[in-house]
Amino acid sequence: MIYIGVTGWGDHDDLYPPGVKSNEKLSIYGSHFPTVEVDSSFYAVQPARNFQKWADETPEGFRFVVKAYQGMTGHQRGDIPFESRDEMFQAYKESLRPLQNAGKLAMVLFQFPPWFDVNKENVNILRDCKERMGDIPCAVEFRHQSWYHEAFREKTLSFLEAEGFIHTICDEPQAGEGSVPLVMETIHKDHVLVRLHGRNTNGWTNPGNRHNWREVRYLYDYNEEELLEWKERILELEKECKDVFILFNNNSGGHAANNAKWMIQMLGIEYTNLNPKQLDLFDL
């Protein structure tokens, strides 16, 4: 099945009626798309009650891609509120239990930082993460180009496959070591993840200050030709993999949801397991 959605559900104003409360948005989002990426789990390990609430608000068949906590991927440079790595991973896994019980956890996304390059220590970190996560499906997204250099590309993919990771295919500007090439490999028979970050090369290399870098980097609107290219790629991925997850991350200009809907239309998909759409006041 092809699951198409966006990253996060809070910032897509065109999906929601005026005055909608933030705690009502996910239910409405679930009337448009069958999957979403949870970003809040990157900044803090979420209480299990949050995941229970989100599971309750979404329709049967809805799937969550949940980002790994930043302490698990080496982003956090300050204090981590856990006494040990064991405690951190255990708390994170416990938080996911409501999604697992509901059958709504697609995978956990380990997005490693731009300085996480290919070396023996980092290979061991990857192996450790997978071992600690047990049977929870885990995707890996690299943000350092070295993993896909000619000398390492096949070794990287073979290692991920052997460890049981899901490969994350990225569409993003090609701007040096801090970006990765388009690598159309699935490696996992059940899942593949595609994240479309946009192609704003200038914003990628000059993202502004630390307060607004997201707004700059992910400001991009895919045009029809680019989406048609991705339509053909997605159809090829579907032949190789049971479930294909497509997440648009070009959120900052409000383009992600529209691009995702356009892609659904291009592929001729009609999702039948969404939440009922809210009727306008004068709909009959």
mmCIF file of all heavy atoms in Angstrom, residues 163-209:
data_model
loop_
_atom_site.group_PDB
_atom_site.id
_atom_site.type_symbol
_atom_site.label_atom_id
_atom_site.label_comp_id
_atom_site.label_asym_id
_atom_site.label_seq_id
_atom_site.Cartn_x
_atom_site.Cartn_y
_atom_site.Cartn_z
ATOM 1 N N GLU A 163 21.040 -5.678 9.216
ATOM 2 C CA GLU A 163 20.572 -5.326 10.560
ATOM 3 C C GLU A 163 19.052 -5.217 10.645
ATOM 4 O O GLU A 163 18.499 -5.102 11.738
ATOM 5 C CB GLU A 163 21.202 -3.999 10.998
ATOM 6 C CG GLU A 163 22.703 -4.079 11.228
ATOM 7 C CD GLU A 163 23.080 -5.001 12.375
ATOM 8 O OE1 GLU A 163 22.385 -4.981 13.412
ATOM 9 O OE2 GLU A 163 24.059 -5.751 12.226
ATOM 10 N N GLY A 164 18.373 -5.244 9.498
ATOM 11 C CA GLY A 164 16.913 -5.162 9.493
ATOM 12 C C GLY A 164 16.364 -3.755 9.507
ATOM 13 O O GLY A 164 15.191 -3.541 9.821
ATOM 14 N N PHE A 165 17.188 -2.759 9.165
ATOM 15 C CA PHE A 165 16.725 -1.376 9.092
ATOM 16 C C PHE A 165 15.881 -1.146 7.831
ATOM 17 O O PHE A 165 16.012 -1.861 6.834
ATOM 18 C CB PHE A 165 17.908 -0.411 9.052
ATOM 19 C CG PHE A 165 18.509 -0.088 10.387
ATOM 20 C CD1 PHE A 165 19.791 -0.532 10.710
ATOM 21 C CD2 PHE A 165 17.808 0.664 11.319
ATOM 22 C CE1 PHE A 165 20.367 -0.217 11.936
ATOM 23 C CE2 PHE A 165 18.371 0.978 12.554
ATOM 24 C CZ PHE A 165 19.655 0.531 12.854
ATOM 25 N N ILE A 166 15.052 -0.132 7.882
ATOM 26 C CA ILE A 166 14.310 0.371 6.728
ATOM 27 C C ILE A 166 15.106 1.533 6.155
ATOM 28 O O ILE A 166 15.551 2.413 6.894
ATOM 29 C CB ILE A 166 12.900 0.844 7.160
ATOM 30 C CG1 ILE A 166 12.096 -0.328 7.723
ATOM 31 C CG2 ILE A 166 12.165 1.508 5.998
ATOM 32 C CD1 ILE A 166 10.927 0.099 8.591
ATOM 33 N N HIS A 167 15.278 1.552 4.851
ATOM 34 C CA HIS A 167 16.019 2.634 4.219
ATOM 35 C C HIS A 167 15.118 3.848 4.009
ATOM 36 O O HIS A 167 13.958 3.714 3.619
ATOM 37 C CB HIS A 167 16.572 2.183 2.868
ATOM 38 C CG HIS A 167 17.457 3.179 2.212
ATOM 39 N ND1 HIS A 167 17.352 3.532 0.887
ATOM 40 C CD2 HIS A 167 18.481 3.927 2.711
ATOM 41 C CE1 HIS A 167 18.265 4.432 0.595
ATOM 42 N NE2 HIS A 167 18.960 4.693 1.683
ATOM 43 N N THR A 168 15.648 5.033 4.278
ATOM 44 C CA THR A 168 14.934 6.280 4.011
ATOM 45 C C THR A 168 15.521 6.921 2.762
ATOM 46 O O THR A 168 16.706 7.255 2.717
ATOM 47 C CB THR A 168 15.063 7.256 5.201
ATOM 48 O OG1 THR A 168 14.549 6.621 6.380
ATOM 49 C CG2 THR A 168 14.265 8.525 4.931
ATOM 50 N N ILE A 169 14.669 7.081 1.768
ATOM 51 C CA ILE A 169 15.045 7.735 0.513
ATOM 52 C C ILE A 169 14.724 9.218 0.654
ATOM 53 O O ILE A 169 13.599 9.581 1.013
ATOM 54 C CB ILE A 169 14.274 7.125 -0.663
ATOM 55 C CG1 ILE A 169 14.610 5.634 -0.803
ATOM 56 C CG2 ILE A 169 14.572 7.869 -1.960
ATOM 57 C CD1 ILE A 169 13.697 4.883 -1.752
ATOM 58 N N CYS A 170 15.699 10.070 0.366
ATOM 59 C CA CYS A 170 15.510 11.512 0.560
ATOM 60 C C CYS A 170 15.553 12.259 -0.767
ATOM 61 O O CYS A 170 16.408 11.995 -1.612
ATOM 62 C CB CYS A 170 16.594 12.074 1.476
ATOM 63 S SG CYS A 170 16.515 11.424 3.156
ATOM 64 N N ASP A 171 14.632 13.187 -0.916
ATOM 65 C CA ASP A 171 14.673 14.136 -2.027
ATOM 66 C C ASP A 171 15.013 15.495 -1.419
ATOM 67 O O ASP A 171 14.228 16.061 -0.660
ATOM 68 C CB ASP A 171 13.316 14.200 -2.733
ATOM 69 C CG ASP A 171 13.368 15.060 -3.982
ATOM 70 O OD1 ASP A 171 13.765 14.549 -5.037
ATOM 71 O OD2 ASP A 171 13.023 16.263 -3.899
ATOM 72 N N GLU A 172 16.203 15.989 -1.748
ATOM 73 C CA GLU A 172 16.669 17.229 -1.139
ATOM 74 C C GLU A 172 17.723 17.871 -2.035
ATOM 75 O O GLU A 172 18.248 17.219 -2.953
ATOM 76 C CB GLU A 172 17.248 16.967 0.244
ATOM 77 C CG GLU A 172 18.439 16.026 0.256
ATOM 78 C CD GLU A 172 18.868 15.625 1.672
ATOM 79 O OE1 GLU A 172 17.976 15.309 2.496
ATOM 80 O OE2 GLU A 172 20.075 15.626 1.942
ATOM 81 N N PRO A 173 18.068 19.132 -1.809
ATOM 82 C CA PRO A 173 19.100 19.778 -2.613
ATOM 83 C C PRO A 173 20.436 19.055 -2.475
ATOM 84 O O PRO A 173 20.755 18.520 -1.412
ATOM 85 C CB PRO A 173 19.189 21.193 -2.026
ATOM 86 C CG PRO A 173 17.894 21.402 -1.316
ATOM 87 C CD PRO A 173 17.489 20.055 -0.807
ATOM 88 N N GLN A 174 21.191 19.052 -3.545
ATOM 89 C CA GLN A 174 22.528 18.466 -3.498
ATOM 90 C C GLN A 174 23.517 19.591 -3.221
ATOM 91 O O GLN A 174 23.879 20.364 -4.100
ATOM 92 C CB GLN A 174 22.828 17.745 -4.799
ATOM 93 C CG GLN A 174 21.905 16.560 -5.049
ATOM 94 C CD GLN A 174 21.888 15.580 -3.866
ATOM 95 O OE1 GLN A 174 22.889 14.918 -3.589
ATOM 96 N NE2 GLN A 174 20.768 15.501 -3.161
ATOM 97 N N ALA A 175 23.920 19.673 -1.941
ATOM 98 C CA ALA A 175 24.689 20.837 -1.492
ATOM 99 C C ALA A 175 25.827 20.420 -0.578
ATOM 100 O O ALA A 175 25.940 20.880 0.553
ATOM 101 C CB ALA A 175 23.757 21.816 -0.785
ATOM 102 N N GLY A 176 26.652 19.492 -1.033
ATOM 103 C CA GLY A 176 27.824 19.127 -0.265
ATOM 104 C C GLY A 176 27.581 18.027 0.749
ATOM 105 O O GLY A 176 26.584 17.299 0.688
ATOM 106 N N GLU A 177 28.485 17.907 1.725
ATOM 107 C CA GLU A 177 28.464 16.799 2.675
ATOM 108 C C GLU A 177 27.207 16.782 3.538
ATOM 109 O O GLU A 177 26.824 15.742 4.063
ATOM 110 C CB GLU A 177 29.710 16.853 3.575
ATOM 111 C CG GLU A 177 31.027 16.632 2.836
ATOM 112 C CD GLU A 177 31.158 15.230 2.274
ATOM 113 O OE1 GLU A 177 30.419 14.334 2.711
ATOM 114 O OE2 GLU A 177 32.010 15.032 1.393
ATOM 115 N N GLY A 178 26.578 17.944 3.721
ATOM 116 C CA GLY A 178 25.394 18.022 4.564
ATOM 117 C C GLY A 178 24.112 17.635 3.875
ATOM 118 O O GLY A 178 23.025 17.870 4.407
ATOM 119 N N SER A 179 24.202 17.044 2.705
ATOM 120 C CA SER A 179 23.018 16.529 2.022
ATOM 121 C C SER A 179 23.354 15.171 1.441
ATOM 122 O O SER A 179 24.518 14.839 1.230
ATOM 123 C CB SER A 179 22.559 17.491 0.925
ATOM 124 O OG SER A 179 23.562 17.654 -0.061
ATOM 125 N N VAL A 180 22.325 14.359 1.197
ATOM 126 C CA VAL A 180 22.556 13.017 0.663
ATOM 127 C C VAL A 180 21.919 12.893 -0.712
ATOM 128 O O VAL A 180 20.925 13.558 -1.007
ATOM 129 C CB VAL A 180 21.992 11.929 1.608
ATOM 130 C CG1 VAL A 180 22.742 11.930 2.927
ATOM 131 C CG2 VAL A 180 20.496 12.093 1.828
ATOM 132 N N PRO A 181 22.486 12.035 -1.567
ATOM 133 C CA PRO A 181 21.929 11.860 -2.908
ATOM 134 C C PRO A 181 20.639 11.047 -2.878
ATOM 135 O O PRO A 181 20.305 10.422 -1.864
ATOM 136 C CB PRO A 181 23.042 11.111 -3.638
ATOM 137 C CG PRO A 181 23.735 10.339 -2.559
ATOM 138 C CD PRO A 181 23.686 11.222 -1.348
ATOM 139 N N LEU A 182 19.946 11.063 -3.987
ATOM 140 C CA LEU A 182 18.758 10.235 -4.147
ATOM 141 C C LEU A 182 19.200 8.796 -4.380
ATOM 142 O O LEU A 182 19.833 8.489 -5.389
ATOM 143 C CB LEU A 182 17.932 10.743 -5.335
ATOM 144 C CG LEU A 182 16.636 9.992 -5.630
ATOM 145 C CD1 LEU A 182 15.645 10.164 -4.487
ATOM 146 C CD2 LEU A 182 16.038 10.490 -6.943
ATOM 147 N N VAL A 183 18.883 7.913 -3.432
ATOM 148 C CA VAL A 183 19.291 6.512 -3.518
ATOM 149 C C VAL A 183 18.024 5.660 -3.501
ATOM 150 O O VAL A 183 17.437 5.421 -2.447
ATOM 151 C CB VAL A 183 20.230 6.123 -2.360
ATOM 152 C CG1 VAL A 183 20.630 4.655 -2.454
ATOM 153 C CG2 VAL A 183 21.466 7.013 -2.345
ATOM 154 N N MET A 184 17.601 5.213 -4.665
ATOM 155 C CA MET A 184 16.323 4.515 -4.806
ATOM 156 C C MET A 184 16.485 3.028 -4.506
ATOM 157 O O MET A 184 16.387 2.170 -5.385
ATOM 158 C CB MET A 184 15.779 4.733 -6.214
ATOM 159 C CG MET A 184 15.398 6.168 -6.530
ATOM 160 S SD MET A 184 14.012 6.777 -5.526
ATOM 161 C CE MET A 184 12.710 5.682 -6.060
ATOM 162 N N GLU A 185 16.733 2.730 -3.229
ATOM 163 C CA GLU A 185 16.896 1.347 -2.789
ATOM 164 C C GLU A 185 15.937 1.081 -1.641
ATOM 165 O O GLU A 185 15.794 1.903 -0.735
ATOM 166 C CB GLU A 185 18.334 1.092 -2.335
ATOM 167 C CG GLU A 185 19.382 1.289 -3.424
ATOM 168 C CD GLU A 185 19.369 0.189 -4.471
ATOM 169 O OE1 GLU A 185 18.733 -0.858 -4.233
ATOM 170 O OE2 GLU A 185 20.007 0.377 -5.526
ATOM 171 N N THR A 186 15.305 -0.109 -1.668
ATOM 172 C CA THR A 186 14.341 -0.422 -0.618
ATOM 173 C C THR A 186 14.969 -1.211 0.533
ATOM 174 O O THR A 186 14.744 -0.900 1.689
ATOM 175 C CB THR A 186 13.156 -1.212 -1.198
ATOM 176 O OG1 THR A 186 13.622 -2.416 -1.799
ATOM 177 C CG2 THR A 186 12.423 -0.367 -2.227
ATOM 178 N N ILE A 187 15.706 -2.286 0.249
ATOM 179 C CA ILE A 187 16.424 -3.183 1.164
ATOM 180 C C ILE A 187 15.546 -3.951 2.145
ATOM 181 O O ILE A 187 15.970 -4.941 2.725
ATOM 182 C CB ILE A 187 17.568 -2.493 1.952
ATOM 183 C CG1 ILE A 187 17.039 -1.612 3.090
ATOM 184 C CG2 ILE A 187 18.493 -1.728 1.034
ATOM 185 C CD1 ILE A 187 18.148 -1.102 4.033
ATOM 186 N N HIS A 188 14.296 -3.515 2.373
ATOM 187 C CA HIS A 188 13.393 -4.153 3.336
ATOM 188 C C HIS A 188 12.132 -4.553 2.575
ATOM 189 O O HIS A 188 11.525 -3.729 1.899
ATOM 190 C CB HIS A 188 13.073 -3.168 4.469
ATOM 191 C CG HIS A 188 12.420 -3.775 5.669
ATOM 192 N ND1 HIS A 188 11.129 -4.240 5.674
ATOM 193 C CD2 HIS A 188 12.884 -3.997 6.929
ATOM 194 C CE1 HIS A 188 10.823 -4.707 6.863
ATOM 195 N NE2 HIS A 188 11.873 -4.582 7.655
ATOM 196 N N LYS A 189 11.724 -5.805 2.700
ATOM 197 C CA LYS A 189 10.607 -6.289 1.890
ATOM 198 C C LYS A 189 9.263 -5.691 2.286
ATOM 199 O O LYS A 189 8.335 -5.643 1.476
ATOM 200 C CB LYS A 189 10.522 -7.816 1.953
ATOM 201 C CG LYS A 189 10.196 -8.375 3.334
ATOM 202 C CD LYS A 189 10.182 -9.888 3.313
ATOM 203 C CE LYS A 189 9.898 -10.467 4.696
ATOM 204 N NZ LYS A 189 8.550 -10.134 5.186
ATOM 205 N N ASP A 190 9.144 -5.212 3.523
ATOM 206 C CA ASP A 190 7.850 -4.726 4.010
ATOM 207 C C ASP A 190 7.704 -3.211 3.965
ATOM 208 O O ASP A 190 6.595 -2.710 3.741
ATOM 209 C CB ASP A 190 7.613 -5.201 5.448
ATOM 210 C CG ASP A 190 7.391 -6.700 5.531
ATOM 211 O OD1 ASP A 190 6.857 -7.274 4.560
ATOM 212 O OD2 ASP A 190 7.753 -7.303 6.557
ATOM 213 N N HIS A 191 8.782 -2.471 4.196
ATOM 214 C CA HIS A 191 8.656 -1.021 4.331
ATOM 215 C C HIS A 191 9.777 -0.284 3.608
ATOM 216 O O HIS A 191 10.924 -0.735 3.594
ATOM 217 C CB HIS A 191 8.727 -0.595 5.805
ATOM 218 C CG HIS A 191 7.668 -1.205 6.676
ATOM 219 N ND1 HIS A 191 7.881 -2.340 7.423
ATOM 220 C CD2 HIS A 191 6.395 -0.832 6.928
ATOM 221 C CE1 HIS A 191 6.778 -2.636 8.090
ATOM 222 N NE2 HIS A 191 5.866 -1.746 7.814
ATOM 223 N N VAL A 192 9.420 0.869 3.073
ATOM 224 C CA VAL A 192 10.400 1.854 2.639
ATOM 225 C C VAL A 192 9.823 3.219 2.963
ATOM 226 O O VAL A 192 8.594 3.414 2.938
ATOM 227 C CB VAL A 192 10.735 1.734 1.131
ATOM 228 C CG1 VAL A 192 9.539 2.086 0.254
ATOM 229 C CG2 VAL A 192 11.950 2.587 0.774
ATOM 230 N N LEU A 193 10.690 4.156 3.310
ATOM 231 C CA LEU A 193 10.262 5.502 3.679
ATOM 232 C C LEU A 193 10.876 6.505 2.708
ATOM 233 O O LEU A 193 12.072 6.445 2.423
ATOM 234 C CB LEU A 193 10.710 5.823 5.109
ATOM 235 C CG LEU A 193 10.436 7.246 5.628
ATOM 236 C CD1 LEU A 193 8.940 7.550 5.658
ATOM 237 C CD2 LEU A 193 11.043 7.432 7.024
ATOM 238 N N VAL A 194 10.041 7.411 2.199
ATOM 239 C CA VAL A 194 10.503 8.496 1.343
ATOM 240 C C VAL A 194 10.166 9.812 2.034
ATOM 241 O O VAL A 194 9.006 10.038 2.415
ATOM 242 C CB VAL A 194 9.827 8.450 -0.047
ATOM 243 C CG1 VAL A 194 10.287 9.633 -0.896
ATOM 244 C CG2 VAL A 194 10.137 7.139 -0.750
ATOM 245 N N ARG A 195 11.157 10.677 2.206
ATOM 246 C CA ARG A 195 10.924 11.994 2.792
ATOM 247 C C ARG A 195 11.336 13.044 1.769
ATOM 248 O O ARG A 195 12.469 13.077 1.319
ATOM 249 C CB ARG A 195 11.706 12.167 4.103
ATOM 250 C CG ARG A 195 11.297 11.166 5.164
ATOM 251 C CD ARG A 195 12.051 11.377 6.473
ATOM 252 N NE ARG A 195 11.452 12.410 7.290
ATOM 253 C CZ ARG A 195 12.091 13.468 7.767
ATOM 254 N NH1 ARG A 195 13.355 13.675 7.456
ATOM 255 N NH2 ARG A 195 11.473 14.346 8.529
ATOM 256 N N LEU A 196 10.381 13.886 1.407
ATOM 257 C CA LEU A 196 10.605 14.916 0.404
ATOM 258 C C LEU A 196 10.793 16.256 1.092
ATOM 259 O O LEU A 196 9.842 16.851 1.595
ATOM 260 C CB LEU A 196 9.438 14.946 -0.586
ATOM 261 C CG LEU A 196 9.312 13.651 -1.404
ATOM 262 C CD1 LEU A 196 8.059 12.882 -0.985
ATOM 263 C CD2 LEU A 196 9.268 13.937 -2.889
ATOM 264 N N HIS A 197 12.030 16.712 1.124
ATOM 265 C CA HIS A 197 12.397 17.921 1.850
ATOM 266 C C HIS A 197 12.303 19.183 0.994
ATOM 267 O O HIS A 197 12.502 20.286 1.511
ATOM 268 C CB HIS A 197 13.835 17.804 2.363
ATOM 269 C CG HIS A 197 14.040 16.672 3.324
ATOM 270 N ND1 HIS A 197 13.386 16.586 4.532
ATOM 271 C CD2 HIS A 197 14.833 15.564 3.256
ATOM 272 C CE1 HIS A 197 13.773 15.491 5.170
ATOM 273 N NE2 HIS A 197 14.648 14.846 4.414
ATOM 274 N N GLY A 198 12.018 19.040 -0.301
ATOM 275 C CA GLY A 198 12.064 20.188 -1.198
ATOM 276 C C GLY A 198 13.439 20.318 -1.827
ATOM 277 O O GLY A 198 14.371 19.575 -1.498
ATOM 278 N N ARG A 199 13.566 21.295 -2.720
ATOM 279 C CA ARG A 199 14.824 21.467 -3.463
ATOM 280 C C ARG A 199 15.310 22.910 -3.414
ATOM 281 O O ARG A 199 15.785 23.462 -4.406
ATOM 282 C CB ARG A 199 14.629 20.991 -4.909
ATOM 283 C CG ARG A 199 14.210 19.526 -4.993
ATOM 284 C CD ARG A 199 13.957 19.069 -6.409
ATOM 285 N NE ARG A 199 13.514 17.678 -6.445
ATOM 286 C CZ ARG A 199 13.182 17.024 -7.564
ATOM 287 N NH1 ARG A 199 13.242 17.646 -8.731
ATOM 288 N NH2 ARG A 199 12.791 15.766 -7.510
ATOM 289 N N ASN A 200 15.164 23.508 -2.256
ATOM 290 C CA ASN A 200 15.579 24.899 -2.054
ATOM 291 C C ASN A 200 17.074 24.923 -1.737
ATOM 292 O O ASN A 200 17.484 24.947 -0.582
ATOM 293 C CB ASN A 200 14.761 25.521 -0.922
ATOM 294 C CG ASN A 200 15.080 26.983 -0.695
ATOM 295 O OD1 ASN A 200 16.015 27.535 -1.288
ATOM 296 N ND2 ASN A 200 14.306 27.621 0.169
ATOM 297 N N THR A 201 17.896 24.909 -2.797
ATOM 298 C CA THR A 201 19.345 24.799 -2.610
ATOM 299 C C THR A 201 19.904 25.964 -1.814
ATOM 300 O O THR A 201 20.718 25.782 -0.891
ATOM 301 C CB THR A 201 20.058 24.719 -3.972
ATOM 302 O OG1 THR A 201 19.526 23.609 -4.707
ATOM 303 C CG2 THR A 201 21.555 24.529 -3.795
ATOM 304 N N ASN A 202 19.487 27.165 -2.124
ATOM 305 C CA ASN A 202 20.002 28.332 -1.416
ATOM 306 C C ASN A 202 19.608 28.294 0.059
ATOM 307 O O ASN A 202 20.415 28.574 0.947
ATOM 308 C CB ASN A 202 19.496 29.622 -2.057
ATOM 309 C CG ASN A 202 20.086 30.856 -1.404
ATOM 310 O OD1 ASN A 202 21.294 31.048 -1.385
ATOM 311 N ND2 ASN A 202 19.216 31.703 -0.854
ATOM 312 N N GLY A 203 18.371 27.930 0.338
ATOM 313 C CA GLY A 203 17.909 27.837 1.721
ATOM 314 C C GLY A 203 18.588 26.713 2.483
ATOM 315 O O GLY A 203 18.779 26.797 3.699
ATOM 316 N N TRP A 204 18.961 25.658 1.765
ATOM 317 C CA TRP A 204 19.619 24.510 2.400
ATOM 318 C C TRP A 204 21.022 24.878 2.861
ATOM 319 O O TRP A 204 21.462 24.486 3.934
ATOM 320 C CB TRP A 204 19.680 23.352 1.412
ATOM 321 C CG TRP A 204 19.907 22.012 2.026
ATOM 322 C CD1 TRP A 204 21.104 21.384 2.212
ATOM 323 C CD2 TRP A 204 18.905 21.112 2.525
ATOM 324 N NE1 TRP A 204 20.914 20.147 2.791
ATOM 325 C CE2 TRP A 204 19.581 19.955 2.994
ATOM 326 C CE3 TRP A 204 17.520 21.167 2.621
ATOM 327 C CZ2 TRP A 204 18.897 18.872 3.546
ATOM 328 C CZ3 TRP A 204 16.843 20.090 3.165
ATOM 329 C CH2 TRP A 204 17.527 18.965 3.627
ATOM 330 N N THR A 205 21.713 25.657 2.035
ATOM 331 C CA THR A 205 23.099 26.012 2.356
ATOM 332 C C THR A 205 23.195 27.286 3.181
ATOM 333 O O THR A 205 24.190 27.519 3.869
ATOM 334 C CB THR A 205 23.918 26.190 1.064
ATOM 335 O OG1 THR A 205 23.249 27.145 0.217
ATOM 336 C CG2 THR A 205 24.036 24.869 0.323
ATOM 337 N N ASN A 206 22.149 28.131 3.140
ATOM 338 C CA ASN A 206 22.130 29.383 3.907
ATOM 339 C C ASN A 206 20.804 29.482 4.664
ATOM 340 O O ASN A 206 19.929 30.286 4.318
ATOM 341 C CB ASN A 206 22.287 30.592 2.974
ATOM 342 C CG ASN A 206 23.587 30.544 2.200
ATOM 343 O OD1 ASN A 206 24.656 30.758 2.749
ATOM 344 N ND2 ASN A 206 23.478 30.250 0.908
ATOM 345 N N PRO A 207 20.641 28.640 5.692
ATOM 346 C CA PRO A 207 19.338 28.525 6.338
ATOM 347 C C PRO A 207 18.973 29.634 7.313
ATOM 348 O O PRO A 207 17.944 29.550 7.985
ATOM 349 C CB PRO A 207 19.450 27.184 7.077
ATOM 350 C CG PRO A 207 20.901 27.068 7.391
ATOM 351 C CD PRO A 207 21.624 27.710 6.250
ATOM 352 N N GLY A 208 19.770 30.687 7.401
ATOM 353 C CA GLY A 208 19.447 31.766 8.327
ATOM 354 C C GLY A 208 19.929 31.460 9.729
ATOM 355 O O GLY A 208 20.773 30.590 9.949
ATOM 356 N N ASN A 209 19.367 32.169 10.704
ATOM 357 C CA ASN A 209 19.812 31.962 12.083
ATOM 358 C C ASN A 209 19.083 30.788 12.725
ATOM 359 O O ASN A 209 18.194 30.182 12.138
ATOM 360 C CB ASN A 209 19.632 33.250 12.906
ATOM 361 C CG ASN A 209 18.176 33.676 12.999
ATOM 362 O OD1 ASN A 209 17.289 32.867 13.253
ATOM 363 N ND2 ASN A 209 17.917 34.963 12.801
#
